[in-house]
Amino acid sequence: MFQISLKAARVNAGLKQSEAAKLIGVTAKTLRHYESGVTAIPGWRLRKAASIYGISEDRIRVPIVHDGKYDEEDEKIFT
């Protein structure tokens, strides 16, 4: 299956980073970190972004992040 990056999905939806961030419920800096692979995007935020961008979440390729941290949902499970 053909996938596009998180950033490309946003650009194809015609949204600026600041606009998309507001709709997703994060800061522009956080969205920039998700798009560049600095921070892993939680699954529920990816689903929200995909919905806003009008694309299926399995069509979005997200960078692999090796930061040694769990996303927000996983952290709740292990604490």
Side-chain angles (χ1 to χ4, degrees):
M1 172 189 309
F2 178 73
Q3 292 185 313
I4 62 172
S5 69
L6 186 60
K7 180 179 179 179
R10 174 182 55 79
V11 171
N12 287 347
L15 294 169
K16 294 180 182 179
Q17 202 169 54
S18 59
E19 297 168 329
K22 187 173 184 176
L23 293 170
I24 295 168
V26 297
T27 64
K29 180 180 179 181
T30 297
L31 181 56
R32 184 170 53 252
H33 285 182
Y34 290 160
E35 290 180 349
S36 65
V38 172
T39 306
I41 185 170
W44 65 275
R45 286 212 194 271
L46 176 60
R47 284 187 290 280
K48 188 170 184 178
S51 175
I52 290 165
Y53 298 161
I55 187 172
S56 173
E57 66 184 277
D58 63 346
R59 299 279 319 275
I60 298 176
R61 184 184 71 249
V62 292
I64 296 173
V65 177
H66 299 288
D67 63 0
K69 298 179 184 177
Y70 299 104
D71 71 31
E72 296 165 18
E73 293 298 308
D74 289 340
E75 188 171 359
K76 292 177 187 173
I77 294 170
F78 294 111
T79 57

